[in-house]
């Protein structure tokens, strides 16, 4: 455990154009609250898992993006909270897919831009979770949906990769498509199906609306 | 907390030895006495009696009571000129329960409007790590799931709700898979199951340690992609709307966080799915919850006349982080203790069996802190050690394999739980009670449904792990279906009659109308008063 006694040191930065004097070891979110920066509402989980606190960071000439709740204050840094990414232009409902054999064709109909990747690394550079987005897009375009989806395991839906992509591929949504159809078509767990089948047979043997389960007299006070 | 006597962090750290010889914890002679003395639910100064409303005379946590008996944010004048939108089903809240309800209603052909405070998916759902309960193993049964849940809830849960939820379990998982959610599988293809506190069989299914994230991003995507669901973000509900006599819920009023404007929605079915209230920091506690968890749904439902229950029962999870400061209150999953991690006070002694029920373990930590055996950081907050280095020594590699999220979060601050013990303190985690509902999620007010953490009666006074993620989908879907079966043509007139009624009752009871509710955001996020 490190010591936190140096927290009182003052760090000067700007957030959404407002000058803020923060103390060291504050995140950009805390610094924004501390400095009274108005309208910082793109914040929720505070543990870098919801993807809402997208920020643009300027250190001199260098410009990067990150999640504000996992970025600490730095002297002189300029941070700007980004507006949410516009909704994707691609549309599908999972219930539309009835045949797994034509899923590659359907994928290219829904995401025609996915095969136009120009390998600019924009998505990879902007991903706060270190995901190889570019490589995963290539896998998806080649029909390797399971492997492509696996690459997005830690994806927090920040859509910073979508914002970065010059071809409007919407990589975050491609990633979700890959994960979703993998489960939708291939996840068929025997233990779950067995129990569902058991319930179906029990229901068939009961009058409509009747429940199979009884609320038996359980042990009183046993939880303490 | 700051007045408390405790050992400074640096001193405790210097004393700490991962290889020190420590014995078993002392025997706990009287658990009830421990709870009575230290658990916030049992400390009488934290409870008040409600004076007005459907629960007049009932016990309620003091700060929550203040919000339930507060003045509305708006009156008729605010609504003049506010645009009105019509929809078949209105859903308030974009977490797991709200999305499940939206999808179920849309599957039935309804036009659905889902309105949420922050961004779609900003929720407690997305943070869940552990998993979701479903009775699918051969040695398990729906019946046992029901009994474990009722017993865990101290035998006061509503058996009909519990049976409905447990019975739905397998079909909930089937539906989640249909929507595209992945789960951990055995080589045989069976879903992996784990056993946690209070369960008589292995019953937790999961997706690594990212179950909530996987669930939320799949449901969020399904909602975004659905043709008959419209989503409004950054638009907290500030009030419900009622019919001319204030007896039926017929819509809601939203205030944009972007421009402060009001908008009204008119409908015949409103589904409240606003989640919990950790960000009210009840009794001064830190919280594991997301920023929008301010109990708004309870306030709105109560003013509309709905009955609530168990308003004096909250779950304080034993292991919230004290340090690093920016993660204050954030959860260290129960899995770490289940894997064998022990807890030590400043003197390096164990003080409780770490695997007792959550309320008892939390009370024991609070006792150590209050009696001067805690460890203090510079800003005055106090905690005890969670001895992760010892766990790592006994099972090398375990932390990295099973708890990557924990290591990643600590790493940002230069902390390595394999070398440094974690400083922890109980954190406000879950609202056990909530709005009274039936098996369709219907409240006692016609036209108003409540699902997810905002609803009560399923988990009694204590929720066991994994049942929240199940309840939000089970009742979310039930309410979504029930809301579409409304046959009337919708409201002719929308009013604030229920607000006027509540104001009269407050005045009669002599309660000053100085506070306004719902809270919407914690003060530190809304008013620039964060300090550290
Ligand atoms: C850190 C953590 C770990 C957990 N782990 C587990 C676990 O392993 N297993 C388990 O079963 N449970 C777990 N839980 C509990 C479980 O995650 C939650 O109880 C459950 O997800 C709540 O779902 P919900 O949809 O009811 O609420 P939420 O997911 O919180 O969603 C509520 C939504 O309503 C919105 N909202 C709030 N107020 C308003 C308003 N006024 N107007 C409009 N919108 C509003 C919020 O912004 C949010 O989008 C955990 C909880 C936490 C915090
Ligand atoms: S893959 Fe895209 S959406 Fe996912 S975390 Fe990375 S940048 Fe964000
Ligand atoms: S940003 Fe778009 S075009 Fe560039 S590498 Fe990534 S996916 Fe390809
Ligand atoms: S607030 Fe959720 S990722 Fe930063």
């Amino acid at each position: 455990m490190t010591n936190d006694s140096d927290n009182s040191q003052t760090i000067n930065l700007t957030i959404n154009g407002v000058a803020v004097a923060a103390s060291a070891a504050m995140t950009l979110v805390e610094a924004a609250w501390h400095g009274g920066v108005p309208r910082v509402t793109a914040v929720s989980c505070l543990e870098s898992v919801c993807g809402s606190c997208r920020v643009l960071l300027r250190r001199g000439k260098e410009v990067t993006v990150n999640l504000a709740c996992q970025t600490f204050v730095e002297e002189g840094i300029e941070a700007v909270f980004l507006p949410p990414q516009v909704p994707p232009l691609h549309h599908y409902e999972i219930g539309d897919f009835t045949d797994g054999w034509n899923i590659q064709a359907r994928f290219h109909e829904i995401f025609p831009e996915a095969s136009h990747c120009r390998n600019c690394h924009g998505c990879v550079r902007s991903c706060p979770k270190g995901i190889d987005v570019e490589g995963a897009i290539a896998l998806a375009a080649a029909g390797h949906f399971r492997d492509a989806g696996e690459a997005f395991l830690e994806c927090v839906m920040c859509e910073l990769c979508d914002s970065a992509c010059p071809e409007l591929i919407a990589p975050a949504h491609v990633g979700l498509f890959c994960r979703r159809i993998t489960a939708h078509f291939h996840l068929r767990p025997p233990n779950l199906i067995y129990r569902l089948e058991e319930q179906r047979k029990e229901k068939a043997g009961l009058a409509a609306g009747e429940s199979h389960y009884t609320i038996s007299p359980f042990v009183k006070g046993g939880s303490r | 907390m700051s007045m408390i006597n405790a050992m400074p962090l640096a001193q405790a750290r210097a004393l700490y030895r991962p290889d020190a010889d420590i014995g078993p914890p002392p025997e706990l002679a009287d658990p009830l006495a421990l709870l009575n003395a230290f658990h916030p639910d049992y400390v009488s100064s934290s409870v008040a009696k409600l004076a007005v409303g459907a629960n007049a005379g009932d016990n309620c946590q003091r700060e929550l009571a203040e919000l339930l008996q507060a003045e509305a944010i708006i009156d008729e004048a605010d609504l003049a000129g506010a645009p009105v939108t019509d929809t078949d089903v209105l859903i308030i809240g974009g977490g797991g329960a709200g999305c499940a309800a939206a999808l179920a209603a849309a599957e039935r052909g309804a036009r659905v409007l889902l309105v949420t405070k922050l961004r779609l998916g900003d929720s407690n759902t997305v943070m869940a790590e552990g998993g979701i309960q479903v009775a699918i193993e051969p040695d398990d049964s729906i019946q046992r799931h029901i009994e474990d849940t009722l017993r865990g809830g101290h035998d006061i849960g509503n058996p009909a709700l519990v049976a409905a939820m447990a019975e739905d379990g397998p079909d909930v998982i089937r539906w989640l898979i249909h929507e595209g959610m992945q789960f951990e599988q055995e080589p045989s293809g069976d879903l992996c199951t784990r056993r946690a506190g209070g369960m008589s069989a292995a019953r937790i299914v999961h997706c690594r340690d990212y179950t909530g994230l996987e669930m939320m991003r799949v449901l969020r995507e399904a909602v975004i992609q659905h043709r008959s669901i419209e989503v409004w973000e950054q638009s907290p509900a500030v009030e419900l709307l009622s019919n001319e006599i204030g007896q039926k819920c017929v819509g809601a009023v939203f205030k944009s966080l972007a421009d402060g404007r009001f908008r009204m929605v008119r409908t015949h079915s409103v589904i409240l799915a606003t989640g919990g209230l950790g960000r009210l920091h009840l009794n001064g506690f830190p919280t594991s919850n997301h920023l929008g968890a301010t109990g708004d749904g309870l306030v709105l439902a109560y003013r509309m006349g709905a009955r609530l229950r168990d308003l004096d029962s909250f779950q304080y999870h034993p292991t919230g982080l004290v340090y690093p400061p920016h993660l204050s209150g954030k959860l260290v999953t129960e899995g770490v203790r289940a894997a064998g991690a022990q807890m030590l006070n400043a003197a390096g002694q164990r003080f409780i069996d770490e695997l007792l029920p959550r309320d008892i373990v939390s009370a024991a930590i609070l006792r150590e802190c209050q009696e001067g055996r805690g460890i203090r950081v510079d800003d005055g907050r106090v905690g005890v050690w969670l001895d992760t280095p010892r766990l790592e020594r006994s099972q090398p590699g375990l932390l990295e394999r099973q708890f990557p999220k924990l290591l990643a979060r600590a790493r940002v601050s230069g902390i390595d739980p394999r070398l440094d013990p974690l400083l922890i303190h109980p954190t406000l985690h879950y609202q056990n009670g909530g709005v009274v509902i039936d098996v369709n999620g219907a409240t006692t007010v016609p036209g108003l449904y409540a699902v997810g953490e905002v609803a009560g009666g399923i988990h009694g006074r204590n929720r066991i792990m994994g049942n929240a993620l199940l309840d939000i989908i089970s009742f979310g879907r039930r309410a979504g279906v029930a809301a579409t079966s409304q046959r009337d043509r919708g409201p002719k007139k929308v009013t604030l009659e229920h607000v006027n009624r509540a104001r009269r009752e407050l005045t009669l009871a002599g309660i000053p109308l100085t506070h306004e509710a719902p809270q919407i955001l914690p003060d530190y996020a809304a008013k620039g008063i964060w300090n550290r």
Side-chain angles (χ1 to χ4, degrees):
Chain A
M1 176 143 307
T2 53
N3 205 315
D4 60 347
S5 54
D6 55 353
N7 276 5
S8 48
Q9 186 196 336
T10 301
I11 306 275
N12 295 296
L13 69 161
T14 68
I15 301 177
N16 292 358
V18 178
V20 173
S23 47
M26 277 187 176
T27 64
L28 290 176
V29 172
E30 292 177 293
W33 289 342
H34 176 74
V37 180
R39 284 189 294 282
V40 176
T41 51
V43 172
S44 172
C45 70
L46 307 172
E47 57 176 59
S48 60
V49 68
C50 77
S52 61
C53 59
R54 307 150 32 109
V55 275
L56 187 95
L57 304 168
R58 208 171 274 126
R59 301 172 179 91
K61 279 192 180 139
E62 185 206 26
V63 177
T64 56
V65 288
N66 208 329
L67 298 172
C69 70
Q70 66 171 19
T71 307
F72 293 94
V73 293
E74 286 168 39
E75 189 64 37
I77 199 170
E78 290 171 50
V80 178
F81 278 81
L82 293 170
Q85 175 68 10
V86 291
L89 303 167
H90 312 89
H91 284 288
Y92 67 94
E93 279 168 31
I94 202 101
D96 297 347
F97 306 137
T98 46
D99 179 6
W101 285 98
N102 67 13
I103 197 66
Q104 295 191 8
R106 297 302 302 276
F107 171 74
H108 288 289
E109 277 165 36
I110 299 162
F111 295 100
E113 303 87 354
S115 41
H116 303 163
C117 173
R118 51 167 107 151
N119 303 107
C120 70
H121 316 322
C123 51
V124 178
R125 270 198 300 266
S126 49
C127 180
K129 292 286 156 180
I131 293 169
D132 176 16
V133 185
E134 183 180 336
I137 295 300
L139 284 170
H144 288 283
F145 299 124
R146 179 190 298 273
D147 292 347
E150 187 56 31
F152 286 92
L153 173 72
E154 295 192 302
C155 170
V156 294
M157 313 170 284
C158 69
E159 296 166 342
L160 282 167
C161 54
D162 292 13
S163 307
C165 181
E167 293 288 344
L168 305 179
I169 291 172
H173 297 276
V174 169
L176 266 163
F177 175 94
C178 296
R179 291 189 66 80
R180 291 180 74 196
I181 57 150
T182 299
H184 182 79
F185 282 120
H186 303 295
L187 191 53
R188 293 292 179 272
N191 51 356
L192 172 65
I193 295 172
Y194 191 89
R195 183 56 42 87
L196 280 165
E197 197 47 24
E198 221 174 59
Q199 284 183 303
R200 191 186 62 78
K201 285 188 199 138
E202 277 162 6
K203 275 231 171 73
L206 291 170
E210 212 180 313
S211 175
H212 173 71
Y213 306 100
T214 55
I215 313 303
S216 67
F218 28 83
V219 198
K220 275 267 171 197
S223 54
R224 282 277 151 91
Chain B
M1 266 189 280
S2 54
M3 305 313 289
I4 285 168
N5 194 14
M7 187 183 286
L9 178 65
Q11 189 186 344
R13 183 67 186 83
L15 278 177
Y16 169 79
R17 294 275 174 279
D19 53 357
D21 200 10
I22 46 172
E27 201 68 41
L28 177 63
D30 189 350
L32 202 58
L34 178 70
L35 288 171
N36 276 327
F38 295 101
H39 193 286
D41 281 357
Y42 296 74
V43 177
S44 61
S45 64
S46 77
V47 179
K49 274 216 188 322
L50 289 168
V52 300
N55 289 74
D58 287 0
N59 281 344
C60 179
Q61 198 282 339
R62 188 174 293 281
E63 290 141 286
L64 177 58
E66 234 170 69
L67 291 181
L68 293 180
Q69 304 185 131
E71 165 73 320
I73 292 178
I74 59 162
D75 56 30
E76 272 93 358
D78 294 307
L79 299 186
V84 183
T85 304
D86 284 293
T87 187
D88 294 340
V89 177
L90 170 64
I91 292 165
I92 306 178
C99 288
L103 290 164
E107 279 166 21
R108 292 287 177 116
R111 268 179 318 152
V112 178
L113 175 59
L114 187 159
V115 189
T116 194
K117 184 188 297 187
L118 303 167
R119 194 175 76 139
L120 184 63
D122 288 0
S123 60
N124 280 353
T125 304
V126 78
M127 291 192 278
E129 298 174 9
I132 169 167
Q133 279 201 54
V134 59
I136 51 171
E137 291 296 4
D139 66 344
D140 195 8
S141 67
I142 306 291
Q143 184 74 43
R144 291 175 74 168
H145 188 174
I146 296 170
E147 287 168 12
D148 289 349
T149 303
L150 286 167
R151 194 182 313 109
H154 300 190
D155 299 334
I156 62 149
N158 176 345
L161 296 181
V162 174
M165 173 184 82
E167 213 171 325
D168 280 354
D171 196 53
V172 161
I173 305 298
R174 186 202 58 77
W175 180 77
L176 287 168
I177 291 172
H178 172 86
E179 290 300 323
M181 177 168 173
Q182 300 193 5
F183 290 93
E184 229 60 51
Q185 282 174 287
E186 303 286 355
S188 69
D190 277 352
L191 293 181
C192 296
T193 54
R194 307 199 264 232
R195 184 175 179 152
M199 279 165 228
S200 58
R203 196 182 290 142
I204 299 263
V205 297
H206 56 100
C207 176
R208 316 282 162 94
D209 259 358
Y210 291 109
T211 312
L213 173 61
E214 171 73 355
M215 176 187 280
M216 195 66 246
R217 66 187 167 202
V218 164
L219 295 182
R220 176 176 184 270
E221 190 73 1
V223 164
I224 290 176
Q225 298 287 358
H226 206 290
R227 296 175 190 95
S228 20
I229 306 176
E230 185 182 344
V231 177
W232 296 353
E233 299 184 322
Q234 299 273 314
S235 306
V238 294
E239 196 47 73
L240 296 173
L241 290 166
S242 55
N243 65 359
E244 294 95 322
I245 48 169
Q247 306 281 17
K248 181 174 189 291
C249 183
V250 292
V253 183
F254 300 92
K255 182 178 184 176
S256 160
L257 290 179
D259 59 18
R261 294 225 183 96
F262 293 107
R263 284 208 266 186
M264 287 192 276
V265 175
R266 201 160 49 181
T267 178
H268 52 58
S269 302
V270 176
I271 302 180
L272 268 182
T274 48
L277 52 53
R279 289 280 157 187
L280 295 179
H281 298 284
L282 301 181
N283 302 312
F285 273 70
T287 184
S288 63
N289 286 191
H290 82 118
L291 192 70
T294 51
D296 303 350
L298 294 179
V299 171
L300 298 181
Y302 198 61
R303 195 173 288 136
M304 183 54 97
R307 220 186 133 65
L308 315 180
R309 55 171 292 172
D310 308 321
L311 299 169
D312 53 350
S313 172
F314 299 88
Q315 190 162 72
Y316 294 83
H317 195 291
T319 52
L321 288 169
V322 173
Y323 192 97
H326 77 282
L327 292 176
S328 171
K330 289 298 171 183
L331 207 63
V332 179
T333 164
E334 182 168 330
V336 178
R337 275 173 297 135
Q342 300 168 343
M343 300 186 313
L344 308 174
N345 61 19
Q349 296 157 335
R350 287 176 79 187
F351 51 88
I352 190 81
D353 172 355
E354 291 80 2
L355 293 175
L356 286 172
R358 287 179 179 176
D359 48 357
I360 294 177
V361 177
S362 285
I365 299 171
L366 294 169
R367 179 192 61 201
E368 295 307 295
C369 292
Q370 285 175 32
E371 293 182 348
R373 294 184 294 275
I375 299 149
R376 179 166 47 81
V377 292
D378 284 356
D379 59 19
R381 288 171 310 123
V382 180
V384 297
W385 293 131
L386 181 65
D387 193 355
T388 44
R390 181 183 303 269
L391 177 66
E392 180 68 15
R393 286 169 74 96
S394 68
Q395 300 175 63
L398 175 101
L399 285 172
E400 183 154 31
R401 260 195 329 275
Q402 288 198 23
F403 306 105
K405 188 174 162 190
L406 175 65
L407 291 198
R409 275 192 304 185
R411 195 179 306 124
V412 196
S413 302
I415 293 172
D416 186 344
R418 291 169 297 193
L419 305 174
D420 307 306
L422 294 169
L423 196 57
I424 52 113
H425 181 274
T427 186
L428 179 54
H429 185 55
Y430 186 79
Q431 164 190 313
N432 291 318
V435 185
V436 170
I437 56 167
D438 70 7
V439 291
N440 290 318
T443 70
T444 55
V445 173
L448 183 64
Y449 298 80
V451 292
E453 197 166 333
V454 70
I458 301 155
H459 311 290
R461 292 186 70 84
N462 176 53
R463 175 178 64 86
I464 55 177
M465 178 177 171
N467 264 345
L469 289 184
L470 176 59
D471 115 43
I472 65 176
I473 306 299
S474 163
F475 290 100
R477 290 186 50 73
R478 281 168 174 264
V481 170
T484 51
S485 62
Q486 288 273 0
R487 299 246 173 260
D488 69 42
R489 305 238 312 279
K492 287 199 237 14
K493 209 167 166 222
V494 295
T495 77
L496 290 178
E497 194 42 46
H498 63 291
V499 173
N500 300 332
R501 178 182 61 213
R503 189 177 298 130
R504 284 194 298 274
E505 284 177 19
L506 288 172
T507 311
L508 274 177
I511 297 172
L513 302 174
T514 43
H515 286 64
E516 289 182 352
Q519 166 102 40
I520 310 292
L521 286 173
D523 282 346
Y524 48 78
K527 297 186 183 150
I529 52 169
W530 182 257
N531 239 316
R532 208 179 76 201

